[in-house]
Amino acid sequence: MPTVLDEIISGVREDLAARRAATSFQQIEAMAAAAPPALDPLPVFRTAPGVAVIAEVKRRSPSKGALADIPEPGALAAAYAAGGASAVSVLTEQRRFGGSLADLDLVRSAVSIPVLRKDFIVDAYQVYEARAHGADLVLLMASALDDEQLSDLHDLATRLGMTPLVEVHDAAELERALAVRPSLVGVNARNLKTLEVDRQVVADLLPLLPSDVVAVAESGVSGPADVADYVRAGAGAVLVGEALVTGGAPAEAVAAFITAASGVRAAAAGSASAAPQDKE
């Protein structure tokens, strides 16, 4: 019985075949080579006050259907940046999420912060495509790739100057992800095979990440309290879409997430400084 993820990837492959027929592999490679150098998001992610917010341009989802019209993706991205977002995520999958590479182009031209191409990447063509359209990061889902594919696509994205965000949903996927020595790992509370959300997955897996890996909490965020919980669990970044596109005040929402996370970090620092110190 095909899962939701299987069905999405089947459609992704069909759409990919159509794009490859219109633009050859050699052409997309040349376009990627001609693009301005990718931005490195890791320094900002590691030093962002409170938490690094990766704010998403997301029109709809398989679980919720239509979320927001978003006639001007660039304007939304600019609002995210004004609120303090460290990066913008752009969903480019068309069938289930209503996105496109045109959205990626509009966002890239509107902001100077790093941009993530969020899609179901299953082929090297899509990685070159992401770079050609100005993406600085690319999502690689362990659930959609075998070990060889994950390693190859991670290496390719890195060679092109991009930062791969390797996404996992369980301990087995995390083990596979860490084998490619990623700098950025996302733990998704949503199981894309069933569309169920379990925020405990994030709380369980984030502490297992090495200290030199930037930990990203994904899905399950409805407000600042959820962001605070993820930061307590070890998140250095949060990727948020639905709560931002449906709330009506994207810049203010991003700022509220950062404020909530800053409060958690301040409290933790205060507790640490107040703890009794061992005497020699």
Side-chain angles (χ1 to χ4, degrees), residues 183-244:
S183 299
L184 192 62
V185 171
V187 179
N188 198 340
R190 186 181 301 281
N191 183 339
L192 282 173
K193 296 179 180 179
T194 64
L195 300 184
E196 295 176 352
V197 173
D198 181 1
R199 296 175 71 250
Q200 188 61 40
V201 168
V202 177
D204 289 343
L205 295 185
L206 286 185
L208 303 180
L209 290 175
S211 60
D212 61 340
V213 173
V214 177
V216 184
E218 304 177 31
S219 300
V221 172
S222 58
D226 298 324
V227 173
D229 286 344
Y230 281 160
V231 171
R232 289 188 191 97
V238 291
L239 195 159
V240 188
E242 181 181 336
L244 292 176

CSV table of all heavy atoms in Angstrom, one decimal, residues 183-244:
chain,number,residue,atom,x,y,z
A,183,SER,N,26.2,19.1,8.6
A,183,SER,CA,26.3,20.3,9.5
A,183,SER,C,24.9,20.7,10.0
A,183,SER,O,24.9,21.4,11.0
A,183,SER,CB,26.9,21.4,8.7
A,183,SER,OG,28.2,21.1,8.3
A,184,LEU,N,23.9,20.3,9.3
A,184,LEU,CA,22.5,20.8,9.6
A,184,LEU,C,21.6,19.6,9.6
A,184,LEU,O,21.5,18.9,8.5
A,184,LEU,CB,22.2,21.8,8.6
A,184,LEU,CG,21.0,22.7,8.8
A,184,LEU,CD1,21.1,23.6,10.1
A,184,LEU,CD2,20.8,23.6,7.6
A,185,VAL,N,20.9,19.3,10.7
A,185,VAL,CA,19.9,18.2,10.7
A,185,VAL,C,18.6,18.7,11.2
A,185,VAL,O,18.5,19.4,12.3
A,185,VAL,CB,20.4,17.0,11.6
A,185,VAL,CG1,19.3,16.0,11.8
A,185,VAL,CG2,21.7,16.4,11.0
A,186,GLY,N,17.6,18.4,10.5
A,186,GLY,CA,16.2,18.7,10.9
A,186,GLY,C,15.5,17.5,11.4
A,186,GLY,O,15.5,16.5,10.8
A,187,VAL,N,14.8,17.7,12.6
A,187,VAL,CA,14.0,16.6,13.1
A,187,VAL,C,12.5,17.0,12.9
A,187,VAL,O,12.1,18.1,13.4
A,187,VAL,CB,14.2,16.3,14.6
A,187,VAL,CG1,13.3,15.2,15.1
A,187,VAL,CG2,15.7,15.9,14.8
A,188,ASN,N,11.8,16.3,12.1
A,188,ASN,CA,10.4,16.6,11.7
A,188,ASN,C,9.4,15.9,12.6
A,188,ASN,O,9.4,14.7,12.7
A,188,ASN,CB,10.2,16.3,10.2
A,188,ASN,CG,9.0,17.0,9.7
A,188,ASN,OD1,8.1,17.5,10.4
A,188,ASN,ND2,8.9,17.1,8.4
A,189,ALA,N,8.6,16.7,13.3
A,189,ALA,CA,7.6,16.1,14.1
A,189,ALA,C,6.5,15.4,13.3
A,189,ALA,O,5.7,14.6,13.8
A,189,ALA,CB,6.9,17.2,15.0
A,190,ARG,N,6.4,15.8,12.0
A,190,ARG,CA,5.4,15.2,11.1
A,190,ARG,C,6.0,14.0,10.4
A,190,ARG,O,7.0,14.1,9.7
A,190,ARG,CB,4.9,16.2,10.1
A,190,ARG,CG,3.7,15.7,9.3
A,190,ARG,CD,3.2,16.7,8.3
A,190,ARG,NE,2.8,17.9,8.9
A,190,ARG,CZ,1.6,18.1,9.5
A,190,ARG,NH1,0.7,17.1,9.5
A,190,ARG,NH2,1.2,19.2,10.0
A,191,ASN,N,5.3,12.9,10.5
A,191,ASN,CA,5.6,11.7,9.7
A,191,ASN,C,5.0,11.8,8.3
A,191,ASN,O,3.7,11.7,8.2
A,191,ASN,CB,5.1,10.4,10.4
A,191,ASN,CG,5.5,9.2,9.7
A,191,ASN,OD1,5.8,9.1,8.5
A,191,ASN,ND2,5.5,8.1,10.5
A,192,LEU,N,5.8,12.0,7.3
A,192,LEU,CA,5.2,12.3,6.0
A,192,LEU,C,4.6,11.0,5.3
A,192,LEU,O,4.0,11.1,4.3
A,192,LEU,CB,6.2,12.9,5.1
A,192,LEU,CG,6.4,14.4,5.3
A,192,LEU,CD1,7.5,15.0,4.5
A,192,LEU,CD2,5.1,15.2,5.0
A,193,LYS,N,4.8,9.9,5.9
A,193,LYS,CA,4.2,8.6,5.4
A,193,LYS,C,2.8,8.5,5.9
A,193,LYS,O,2.0,7.9,5.2
A,193,LYS,CB,5.1,7.4,5.9
A,193,LYS,CG,6.5,7.4,5.3
A,193,LYS,CD,7.3,6.2,5.7
A,193,LYS,CE,8.7,6.3,5.1
A,193,LYS,NZ,9.5,5.1,5.6
A,194,THR,N,2.5,9.1,7.0
A,194,THR,CA,1.1,9.1,7.6
A,194,THR,C,0.5,10.4,7.8
A,194,THR,O,-0.7,10.5,8.0
A,194,THR,CB,1.2,8.4,9.0
A,194,THR,OG1,1.9,9.1,9.9
A,194,THR,CG2,1.8,7.0,8.8
A,195,LEU,N,1.3,11.5,7.8
A,195,LEU,CA,0.9,12.9,8.0
A,195,LEU,C,0.6,13.2,9.5
A,195,LEU,O,0.2,14.3,9.9
A,195,LEU,CB,-0.3,13.3,7.2
A,195,LEU,CG,-0.1,13.2,5.7
A,195,LEU,CD1,-1.3,13.8,4.9
A,195,LEU,CD2,1.2,14.0,5.2
A,196,GLU,N,0.9,12.2,10.4
A,196,GLU,CA,0.6,12.4,11.8
A,196,GLU,C,1.8,13.3,12.4
A,196,GLU,O,2.9,13.1,12.0
A,196,GLU,CB,0.5,11.1,12.5
A,196,GLU,CG,-0.7,10.3,12.1
A,196,GLU,CD,-0.7,8.9,12.8
A,196,GLU,OE1,0.3,8.6,13.5
A,196,GLU,OE2,-1.7,8.2,12.6
A,197,VAL,N,1.4,14.1,13.4
A,197,VAL,CA,2.4,14.9,14.1
A,197,VAL,C,2.6,14.5,15.5
A,197,VAL,O,1.6,14.3,16.2
A,197,VAL,CB,2.0,16.4,14.1
A,197,VAL,CG1,2.9,17.3,14.9
A,197,VAL,CG2,1.9,17.0,12.7
A,198,ASP,N,3.8,14.3,15.9
A,198,ASP,CA,4.2,13.9,17.3
A,198,ASP,C,5.3,14.7,17.7
A,198,ASP,O,6.5,14.4,17.3
A,198,ASP,CB,4.5,12.4,17.3
A,198,ASP,CG,4.8,11.9,18.7
A,198,ASP,OD1,4.8,12.7,19.7
A,198,ASP,OD2,5.1,10.7,18.9
A,199,ARG,N,5.1,15.8,18.5
A,199,ARG,CA,6.2,16.7,18.9
A,199,ARG,C,7.2,16.0,19.8
A,199,ARG,O,8.3,16.5,19.9
A,199,ARG,CB,5.5,17.9,19.6
A,199,ARG,CG,4.7,18.7,18.6
A,199,ARG,CD,4.0,19.9,19.3
A,199,ARG,NE,4.9,20.9,19.6
A,199,ARG,CZ,5.2,21.2,20.8
A,199,ARG,NH1,4.7,20.6,21.9
A,199,ARG,NH2,6.1,22.2,21.1
A,200,GLN,N,6.8,14.9,20.4
A,200,GLN,CA,7.7,14.2,21.3
A,200,GLN,C,8.9,13.6,20.5
A,200,GLN,O,10.0,13.5,21.0
A,200,GLN,CB,7.0,13.0,22.0
A,200,GLN,CG,7.8,12.3,23.0
A,200,GLN,CD,8.2,13.3,24.2
A,200,GLN,OE1,7.5,14.1,24.6
A,200,GLN,NE2,9.5,13.1,24.6
A,201,VAL,N,8.7,13.4,19.2
A,201,VAL,CA,9.8,12.9,18.3
A,201,VAL,C,10.9,13.9,18.3
A,201,VAL,O,12.1,13.5,18.4
A,201,VAL,CB,9.3,12.7,16.9
A,201,VAL,CG1,10.4,12.5,15.9
A,201,VAL,CG2,8.3,11.5,16.8
A,202,VAL,N,10.6,15.2,18.3
A,202,VAL,CA,11.6,16.2,18.3
A,202,VAL,C,12.3,16.2,19.6
A,202,VAL,O,13.6,16.3,19.7
A,202,VAL,CB,11.0,17.6,18.0
A,202,VAL,CG1,12.0,18.7,18.1
A,202,VAL,CG2,10.3,17.6,16.6
A,203,ALA,N,11.6,16.2,20.7
A,203,ALA,CA,12.2,16.2,22.0
A,203,ALA,C,13.1,15.0,22.3
A,203,ALA,O,14.1,15.1,23.0
A,203,ALA,CB,11.0,16.2,23.1
A,204,ASP,N,12.7,13.8,21.7
A,204,ASP,CA,13.5,12.6,21.9
A,204,ASP,C,14.8,12.6,21.0
A,204,ASP,O,15.8,12.1,21.5
A,204,ASP,CB,12.7,11.4,21.5
A,204,ASP,CG,11.6,11.1,22.5
A,204,ASP,OD1,11.6,11.6,23.6
A,204,ASP,OD2,10.6,10.4,22.1
A,205,LEU,N,14.7,13.2,19.8
A,205,LEU,CA,15.9,13.0,18.9
A,205,LEU,C,16.9,14.2,19.0
A,205,LEU,O,18.1,14.0,18.8
A,205,LEU,CB,15.4,12.9,17.5
A,205,LEU,CG,14.6,11.6,17.1
A,205,LEU,CD1,14.2,11.6,15.7
A,205,LEU,CD2,15.3,10.4,17.6
A,206,LEU,N,16.4,15.4,19.3
A,206,LEU,CA,17.3,16.5,19.3
A,206,LEU,C,18.5,16.3,20.2
A,206,LEU,O,19.7,16.6,19.8
A,206,LEU,CB,16.6,17.8,19.6
A,206,LEU,CG,15.7,18.4,18.6
A,206,LEU,CD1,15.2,19.8,19.0
A,206,LEU,CD2,16.5,18.6,17.2
A,207,PRO,N,18.3,15.8,21.4
A,207,PRO,CA,19.4,15.6,22.3
A,207,PRO,C,20.5,14.6,21.8
A,207,PRO,O,21.6,14.5,22.3
A,207,PRO,CB,18.8,15.1,23.6
A,207,PRO,CG,17.4,15.6,23.5
A,207,PRO,CD,17.0,15.5,22.1
A,208,LEU,N,20.1,13.8,20.8
A,208,LEU,CA,21.0,12.8,20.3
A,208,LEU,C,22.0,13.3,19.2
A,208,LEU,O,22.9,12.7,18.8
A,208,LEU,CB,20.2,11.6,19.6
A,208,LEU,CG,19.2,10.9,20.5
A,208,LEU,CD1,18.5,9.8,19.8
A,208,LEU,CD2,19.9,10.4,21.8
A,209,LEU,N,21.8,14.6,18.8
A,209,LEU,CA,22.6,15.2,17.8
A,209,LEU,C,24.0,15.6,18.4
A,209,LEU,O,24.0,16.2,19.5
A,209,LEU,CB,21.9,16.4,17.2
A,209,LEU,CG,20.7,16.1,16.3
A,209,LEU,CD1,20.1,17.4,15.8
A,209,LEU,CD2,21.1,15.3,15.1
A,210,PRO,N,25.1,15.5,17.6
A,210,PRO,CA,26.4,15.9,18.1
A,210,PRO,C,26.3,17.5,18.3
A,210,PRO,O,25.6,18.2,17.6
A,210,PRO,CB,27.3,15.5,16.9
A,210,PRO,CG,26.6,14.5,16.2
A,210,PRO,CD,25.1,14.7,16.3
A,211,SER,N,27.2,18.0,19.2
A,211,SER,CA,27.2,19.4,19.5
A,211,SER,C,27.6,20.3,18.3
A,211,SER,O,27.2,21.5,18.3
A,211,SER,CB,28.1,19.6,20.7
A,211,SER,OG,29.4,19.2,20.4
A,212,ASP,N,28.3,19.7,17.4
A,212,ASP,CA,28.7,20.6,16.2
A,212,ASP,C,27.7,20.6,15.1
A,212,ASP,O,27.9,21.3,14.1
A,212,ASP,CB,30.1,20.1,15.7
A,212,ASP,CG,30.1,18.6,15.2
A,212,ASP,OD1,29.1,17.9,15.6
A,212,ASP,OD2,30.9,18.3,14.4
A,213,VAL,N,26.6,19.9,15.3
A,213,VAL,CA,25.5,19.9,14.3
A,213,VAL,C,24.5,20.9,14.7
A,213,VAL,O,24.0,20.9,15.8
A,213,VAL,CB,24.9,18.5,14.1
A,213,VAL,CG1,23.7,18.5,13.2
A,213,VAL,CG2,26.0,17.5,13.6
A,214,VAL,N,24.1,21.8,13.8
A,214,VAL,CA,22.9,22.7,14.1
A,214,VAL,C,21.6,21.9,14.0
A,214,VAL,O,21.3,21.3,13.0
A,214,VAL,CB,22.9,23.9,13.1
A,214,VAL,CG1,21.7,24.7,13.4
A,214,VAL,CG2,24.2,24.7,13.2
A,215,ALA,N,20.9,21.9,15.1
A,215,ALA,CA,19.7,21.1,15.2
A,215,ALA,C,18.5,22.0,14.9
A,215,ALA,O,18.3,23.1,15.4
A,215,ALA,CB,19.5,20.6,16.7
A,216,VAL,N,17.7,21.5,13.9
A,216,VAL,CA,16.5,22.2,13.5
A,216,VAL,C,15.2,21.5,13.8
A,216,VAL,O,15.1,20.3,13.5
A,216,VAL,CB,16.5,22.4,11.9
A,216,VAL,CG1,15.3,23.3,11.5
A,216,VAL,CG2,17.8,23.1,11.5
A,217,ALA,N,14.3,22.1,14.5
A,217,ALA,CA,13.0,21.5,14.9
A,217,ALA,C,12.0,21.9,13.8
A,217,ALA,O,11.9,23.1,13.4
A,217,ALA,CB,12.5,21.9,16.2
A,218,GLU,N,11.3,20.9,13.2
A,218,GLU,CA,10.4,21.1,12.1
A,218,GLU,C,9.0,20.6,12.5
A,218,GLU,O,8.8,19.6,13.1
A,218,GLU,CB,10.8,20.4,10.9
A,218,GLU,CG,12.2,20.8,10.4
A,218,GLU,CD,12.6,20.0,9.2
A,218,GLU,OE1,11.8,19.6,8.4
A,218,GLU,OE2,13.8,19.6,9.1
A,219,SER,N,8.0,21.4,12.1
A,219,SER,CA,6.5,21.0,12.3
A,219,SER,C,6.1,21.1,13.7
A,219,SER,O,6.9,21.1,14.7
A,219,SER,CB,6.2,19.7,11.7
A,219,SER,OG,6.5,19.6,10.3
A,220,GLY,N,4.8,21.2,13.9
A,220,GLY,CA,4.2,21.2,15.2
A,220,GLY,C,4.3,22.5,16.0
A,220,GLY,O,4.0,22.5,17.2
A,221,VAL,N,4.6,23.6,15.3
A,221,VAL,CA,4.6,24.9,15.9
A,221,VAL,C,3.4,25.7,15.6
A,221,VAL,O,3.1,26.0,14.4
A,221,VAL,CB,5.9,25.7,15.4
A,221,VAL,CG1,5.8,27.1,15.9
A,221,VAL,CG2,7.2,25.0,15.8
A,222,SER,N,2.6,26.0,16.7
A,222,SER,CA,1.5,26.9,16.5
A,222,SER,C,1.6,28.2,17.1
A,222,SER,O,0.8,29.1,16.9
A,222,SER,CB,0.2,26.2,17.1
A,222,SER,OG,0.4,25.9,18.5
A,223,GLY,N,2.7,28.4,18.0
A,223,GLY,CA,2.9,29.7,18.6
A,223,GLY,C,4.2,29.7,19.4
A,223,GLY,O,5.0,28.7,19.4
A,224,PRO,N,4.5,30.8,20.0
A,224,PRO,CA,5.8,31.0,20.7
A,224,PRO,C,6.1,29.9,21.8
A,224,PRO,O,7.2,29.5,22.0
A,224,PRO,CB,5.7,32.4,21.4
A,224,PRO,CG,4.7,33.1,20.5
A,224,PRO,CD,3.7,32.1,20.0
A,225,ALA,N,5.1,29.4,22.5
A,225,ALA,CA,5.3,28.4,23.5
A,225,ALA,C,5.9,27.1,22.9
A,225,ALA,O,6.7,26.5,23.5
A,225,ALA,CB,4.0,28.1,24.2
A,226,ASP,N,5.4,26.8,21.7
A,226,ASP,CA,6.0,25.6,21.0
A,226,ASP,C,7.5,25.8,20.7
A,226,ASP,O,8.3,24.9,20.8
A,226,ASP,CB,5.2,25.2,19.8
A,226,ASP,CG,3.7,24.9,20.1
A,226,ASP,OD1,3.5,24.3,21.1
A,226,ASP,OD2,2.8,25.3,19.3
A,227,VAL,N,7.8,27.0,20.2
A,227,VAL,CA,9.2,27.3,19.9
A,227,VAL,C,10.0,27.2,21.1
A,227,VAL,O,11.1,26.6,21.1
A,227,VAL,CB,9.3,28.7,19.3
A,227,VAL,CG1,10.8,29.1,19.1
A,227,VAL,CG2,8.6,28.7,17.9
A,228,ALA,N,9.5,27.7,22.2
A,228,ALA,CA,10.2,27.7,23.5
A,228,ALA,C,10.5,26.2,23.9
A,228,ALA,O,11.6,25.9,24.4
A,228,ALA,CB,9.4,28.4,24.6
A,229,ASP,N,9.5,25.4,23.7
A,229,ASP,CA,9.7,23.9,24.1
A,229,ASP,C,10.8,23.3,23.2
A,229,ASP,O,11.6,22.5,23.8
A,229,ASP,CB,8.3,23.2,23.9
A,229,ASP,CG,7.3,23.5,24.9
A,229,ASP,OD1,7.7,24.0,26.0
A,229,ASP,OD2,6.1,23.2,24.7
A,230,TYR,N,10.8,23.6,22.0
A,230,TYR,CA,11.8,23.0,21.1
A,230,TYR,C,13.2,23.5,21.5
A,230,TYR,O,14.2,22.8,21.4
A,230,TYR,CB,11.5,23.4,19.6
A,230,TYR,CG,10.4,22.5,19.0
A,230,TYR,CD1,9.7,23.0,17.8
A,230,TYR,CD2,10.1,21.3,19.5
A,230,TYR,CE1,8.8,22.2,17.2
A,230,TYR,CE2,9.1,20.5,18.9
A,230,TYR,CZ,8.4,20.9,17.8
A,230,TYR,OH,7.5,20.2,17.2
A,231,VAL,N,13.3,24.8,21.8
A,231,VAL,CA,14.6,25.3,22.3
A,231,VAL,C,15.1,24.6,23.5
A,231,VAL,O,16.2,24.3,23.7
A,231,VAL,CB,14.5,26.8,22.4
A,231,VAL,CG1,15.8,27.4,23.1
A,231,VAL,CG2,14.3,27.5,21.1
A,232,ARG,N,14.2,24.4,24.4
A,232,ARG,CA,14.5,23.6,25.7
A,232,ARG,C,15.0,22.2,25.3
A,232,ARG,O,15.9,21.7,26.0
A,232,ARG,CB,13.3,23.5,26.6
A,232,ARG,CG,12.9,24.8,27.3
A,232,ARG,CD,11.8,24.6,28.3
A,232,ARG,NE,11.3,25.9,28.7
A,232,ARG,CZ,10.2,26.4,28.2
A,232,ARG,NH1,9.5,25.8,27.3
A,232,ARG,NH2,9.7,27.6,28.7
A,233,ALA,N,14.5,21.7,24.3
A,233,ALA,CA,14.9,20.3,23.9
A,233,ALA,C,16.2,20.3,23.1
A,233,ALA,O,16.8,19.2,22.9
A,233,ALA,CB,13.8,19.7,23.0
A,234,GLY,N,16.7,21.5,22.7
A,234,GLY,CA,18.0,21.5,22.1
A,234,GLY,C,18.0,22.1,20.7
A,234,GLY,O,19.1,22.1,20.0
A,235,ALA,N,16.9,22.7,20.2
A,235,ALA,CA,16.9,23.3,18.9
A,235,ALA,C,17.7,24.6,18.8
A,235,ALA,O,17.5,25.4,19.7
A,235,ALA,CB,15.4,23.5,18.5
A,236,GLY,N,18.5,24.7,17.8
A,236,GLY,CA,19.2,25.9,17.5
A,236,GLY,C,18.4,26.7,16.5
A,236,GLY,O,18.6,27.9,16.3
A,237,ALA,N,17.5,26.0,15.8
A,237,ALA,CA,16.7,26.6,14.7
A,237,ALA,C,15.4,26.0,14.7
A,237,ALA,O,15.2,24.8,15.1
A,237,ALA,CB,17.4,26.5,13.4
A,238,VAL,N,14.4,26.7,14.2
A,238,VAL,CA,13.0,26.1,14.0
A,238,VAL,C,12.6,26.5,12.6
A,238,VAL,O,12.8,27.6,12.1
A,238,VAL,CB,12.0,26.6,15.0
A,238,VAL,CG1,12.3,26.1,16.4
A,238,VAL,CG2,11.9,28.2,15.0
A,239,LEU,N,12.0,25.5,11.9
A,239,LEU,CA,11.4,25.8,10.6
A,239,LEU,C,9.9,25.8,10.7
A,239,LEU,O,9.3,24.8,11.2
A,239,LEU,CB,11.8,24.6,9.6
A,239,LEU,CG,11.6,24.9,8.1
A,239,LEU,CD1,12.5,24.0,7.3
A,239,LEU,CD2,10.2,24.7,7.7
A,240,VAL,N,9.3,26.9,10.4
A,240,VAL,CA,7.9,27.2,10.6
A,240,VAL,C,7.2,27.7,9.4
A,240,VAL,O,7.7,28.6,8.7
A,240,VAL,CB,7.7,28.2,11.8
A,240,VAL,CG1,6.2,28.3,12.1
A,240,VAL,CG2,8.5,27.8,13.0
A,241,GLY,N,6.1,27.1,9.0
A,241,GLY,CA,5.4,27.5,7.9
A,241,GLY,C,3.9,27.9,8.2
A,241,GLY,O,3.5,29.1,8.2
A,242,GLU,N,3.1,26.9,8.5
A,242,GLU,CA,1.7,27.1,8.7
A,242,GLU,C,1.3,28.3,9.6
A,242,GLU,O,0.5,29.1,9.4
A,242,GLU,CB,1.0,25.8,9.2
A,242,GLU,CG,-0.5,25.9,9.3
A,242,GLU,CD,-1.1,24.6,9.8
A,242,GLU,OE1,-0.5,23.6,9.6
A,242,GLU,OE2,-2.2,24.7,10.5
A,243,ALA,N,2.0,28.3,10.8
A,243,ALA,CA,1.7,29.3,11.8
A,243,ALA,C,2.0,30.7,11.3
A,243,ALA,O,1.3,31.7,11.7
A,243,ALA,CB,2.4,29.0,13.1
A,244,LEU,N,2.9,30.8,10.4
A,244,LEU,CA,3.3,32.1,9.9
A,244,LEU,C,2.4,32.6,8.7
A,244,LEU,O,2.1,33.8,8.7
A,244,LEU,CB,4.8,32.1,9.4
A,244,LEU,CG,5.8,31.9,10.5
A,244,LEU,CD1,7.2,31.8,9.9
A,244,LEU,CD2,5.8,33.1,11.5
